[in-house]
Amino acid sequence: MLDHRSVNENLEEVKARLAQRNAQVDWDRFSSLIAERSQAIQAFEQRRHEQKTKSTEFGRYARDPEEGPKRRAELKELSDLIKDLEKRQGDLEAELEEFMLHLPNVPHSSTPVGGGEEDNVVVRTVGEPGSYDFEPKAHWDVGTDLGIIDLETATVVSGSRFVLYRGMGVYLELGLAMFMLDVAREAGYEPVMPPYLVLRDAMVGTGQLPKFEEDAFKVDDYFMIPTAEVPVTNMHRQTILEEEQLPIKYVAYSSCFRREAGSAGKDTRGITRVHQFQKVELVKFTRPEDSYEELEKLTANAETVLQRLELPYRVSALCTGDIGFSAAKCYDIEVWLPGQRLYREISSCSNFEDFQARRANIRYRPAGDKKPKTRFVHTINGSGLAVGRTIVALLENYQQADGTVTIPPALQPYLGGKKVIRRGEW
RNA sequence: GGAGGAGUGGCCGAGUGGUCGAAGGCGACGGUCUUGAAAACCGUUGACUCUUUACGGGGUCCGGAGGUUCGAAUCCUCUCUCCUCCGCCA
């Protein structure tokens, strides 16, 4: 959420910046809300002050047969008026809050300006796509032939857009997760396994709600997490941290659940877009002045996984038209998939600045000075990595002509020393 | 699920209708004293928000929401969380 005061102070600039990300905003409504709210608050507070003064004074006259009833009646009238004023103030504040919750974040100055995916900027390409003396297959063929990905059975059990891993597919999933956790641990992240069901407030805190409710699965009053970013970022909601604690770094392993509303027909083959997948997520809480440096580091931490797995990839800076609702800056890490001959997103690393912190009310107290005012932290997160898509990348990049898949050395210790995945072996 | 109990400032803990944002203690910070430190003593010490160039002046918040009242930390209703006992359970 943006701060309505600073938006109001920099109105023209914010208008222009949000227009770059194609946000439709009723700015006239914003301006009138600001004015009405301020007016309502002042009216209420003025009367409230009057009431406090007179009520205290009333104590002296309460039992006076002359003054008592007279003053009581007068105060009753004032009290009724105040109730109306208070309600009006509350209504306006709620309306402004609702308005602000629907505004996306302002893109950072380093975010490329552009209308859509085609305007994203590749900032680096790492590793060379391998060469194959046969036609590399897509992962759905490789995985199905090996018997480690069973899409047909998943459909029987749960319908479309689900995956069922079996045999070595299971160990691949868990081994990769452990490997990624270790990479993050080396970089100083504390491991977390969060709840998969969260309160509505948590979803509002990280920006999934109220605007994107149709994207989430709901169970009773709970929401199923679309990413561990939600429970992990909200670990510190409504709290004031000490500056010495920052940066706080967590790595979480969790399943993620997404409706994939609005992506009908997109990526229907294979396991790149399913309703449930697992992901290792990196989350940081930092001082504002450090957040962009920390974003670079976090992105590098995610890249380490690909480098050790020796998978070719590239990193793109998303443009203003393609960036997520809550993000000010975002890098996508895309892994090369020879079977499909394309780069596919495997991680998305974003700096939200204080956008989430303001929603979830996550602050810190600067060290040093006598009476430091609390400030909002900056939050950063990124996948490190999406496990399912990493399996996709391994299957497509390490497939052999005979249908087997070799396991990169860095991962072998996590798979009991196994070097090759063969059909029927687990 | 049933029966009790409890939620107050960074922490502990008083406070059952008015002058309470809230005693007292601890902690932290500043100062006096000291060669230095400790002790002692004095002082400061919540968040948010409106208004103001500034100085300042208001308002809100005692788990949350609503209600009663001229006036609520205090009374009422609902709700959330935690603790104890019983039941159930991976």
Side-chain angles (χ1 to χ4, degrees):
Chain A
M1 181 164 59
L2 301 174
D3 174 25
H4 63 76
R5 276 171 295 272
S6 63
V7 170
N8 193 42
E9 279 163 26
N10 308 294
L11 196 54
E12 292 313 312
E13 192 195 333
V14 175
K15 276 185 189 177
R17 297 293 284 154
L18 292 191
Q20 287 173 347
R21 51 183 305 164
N22 309 320
Q24 301 295 316
V25 183
D26 183 352
W27 289 110
D28 290 343
R29 184 67 196 130
F30 173 77
S31 294
S32 65
L33 269 174
I34 291 284
E36 287 172 42
R37 183 189 89 110
S38 169
Q39 193 186 14
I41 288 174
Q42 287 176 56
F44 164 73
E45 291 186 351
Q46 188 193 331
R47 292 303 190 155
R48 173 67 99 192
H49 180 59
E50 185 183 339
Q51 181 188 43
K52 283 185 143 183
T53 313
K54 288 187 173 170
S55 276
T56 305
E57 193 182 273
F58 173 76
R60 290 205 299 272
Y61 297 94
R63 264 171 277 176
D64 185 319
E66 279 293 313
E67 283 288 298
K70 201 178 110 192
R71 289 187 180 237
R72 185 187 299 274
E74 193 186 316
L75 281 168
K76 171 66 177 162
E77 208 174 305
L78 183 60
S79 172
D80 290 341
L81 172 64
I82 287 169
K83 274 176 189 144
D84 289 346
L85 291 173
E86 190 172 20
K87 183 172 186 318
R88 175 165 169 73
Q89 176 189 339
D91 289 349
L92 283 165
E93 295 207 308
E95 195 179 337
L96 180 61
E97 165 96 359
E98 185 67 13
F99 187 96
M100 297 311 291
L101 282 174
H102 282 81
L103 284 190
N105 202 354
V106 174
H108 186 246
S109 56
S110 66
T111 292
V113 176
E117 212 176 318
E118 66 283 356
D119 295 319
N120 295 341
V121 176
V122 176
V123 293
R124 60 183 165 272
T125 302
V126 179
E128 289 292 319
S131 58
Y132 301 84
D133 48 16
F134 60 95
E135 189 71 8
K137 293 186 284 190
H139 71 275
W140 51 84
D141 288 329
V142 180
T144 303
D145 291 348
L146 282 172
I148 64 174
I149 290 176
D150 186 345
L151 293 164
E152 220 171 298
T153 304
T155 305
V156 172
V157 176
S158 302
S160 65
R161 289 202 188 281
F162 282 95
V163 59
L164 188 150
Y165 292 112
R166 54 202 303 171
M168 272 309 288
V170 175
Y171 293 105
L172 206 46
E173 164 76 34
L174 295 175
L176 273 170
M178 281 297 293
F179 167 67
M180 291 175 191
L181 284 169
D182 279 349
V183 170
R185 178 168 54 179
E186 283 173 32
Y189 292 78
E190 180 188 349
V192 170
M193 277 193 86
Y196 292 1
L197 267 50
V198 295
L199 299 172
R200 178 174 207 96
D201 281 350
M203 293 284 278
V204 173
T206 32
Q208 283 77 18
L209 295 185
K211 208 170 177 184
F212 306 103
E213 183 150 358
E214 70 279 6
D215 291 340
F217 284 113
K218 214 178 157 182
V219 181
D220 291 341
D221 289 335
Y222 298 105
F223 286 87
M224 300 188 72
I225 58 171
T227 157
E229 160 192 349
V230 178
V232 176
T233 304
N234 279 284
M235 281 166 67
H236 295 299
R237 66 177 294 106
Q238 302 289 345
T239 56
I240 300 176
L241 302 162
E242 295 302 327
E243 181 169 5
E244 300 79 55
Q245 295 176 261
L246 304 175
I248 295 175
K249 305 195 277 186
Y250 294 118
V251 55
Y253 173 67
S254 85
S255 292
C256 305
F257 304 89
R258 300 188 180 179
R259 295 269 314 275
E260 295 300 341
S263 58
K266 214 186 273 181
D267 310 316
T268 47
R269 300 204 65 183
I271 63 167
T272 34
R273 193 181 294 277
V274 285
H275 289 311
Q276 178 193 331
F277 60 95
Q278 282 68 242
K279 186 156 61 68
V280 169
E281 183 77 3
L282 307 172
V283 178
K284 281 189 189 179
F285 301 80
T286 77
R287 303 189 303 172
E289 52 269 43
D290 301 332
S291 67
Y292 279 92
E293 189 187 331
E294 293 290 343
L295 171 65
E296 296 301 324
K297 287 189 196 164
L298 182 140
T299 307
N301 296 145
E303 287 177 63
T304 300
V305 174
L306 290 169
Q307 287 163 15
R308 293 203 192 162
L309 293 176
E310 299 168 61
L311 289 167
Y313 67 92
R314 67 181 188 192
V315 179
S316 297
L318 297 194
C319 74
T320 53
D322 199 33
I323 201 172
F325 178 79
S326 303
K329 167 128 191 191
C330 177
Y331 290 117
D332 267 8
I333 303 177
E334 299 167 304
V335 68
W336 172 248
L337 301 179
Q340 299 171 65
R341 277 173 224 82
L342 51 76
Y343 280 98
R344 163 70 66 180
E345 178 189 339
I346 197 167
S347 172
S348 201
C349 303
S350 306
N351 185 354
F352 303 94
E353 299 188 353
D354 62 7
F355 191 83
Q356 294 181 325
R358 183 172 287 107
R359 286 173 166 246
N361 199 17
I362 307 168
R363 291 170 289 166
Y364 77 99
R365 194 183 305 281
D369 306 298
K370 286 172 193 162
K371 274 183 156 182
K373 196 166 158 46
T374 58
R375 303 171 69 191
F376 288 110
V377 300
H378 280 196
T379 57
I380 299 164
N381 69 53
S383 357
L385 307 164
V387 180
R389 290 190 177 182
T390 307
I391 291 177
V392 167
L394 289 174
L395 295 183
E396 297 206 8
N397 281 280
Y398 285 96
Q399 59 181 303
Q400 306 297 311
D402 64 359
T404 62
V405 169
T406 57
I407 298 166
L411 189 59
Q412 288 170 12
Y414 295 88
L415 295 175
K418 217 173 198 5
K419 293 186 171 61
V420 184
I421 301 174
R422 293 192 179 83
R423 185 175 177 84
E425 281 185 11
W426 61 82

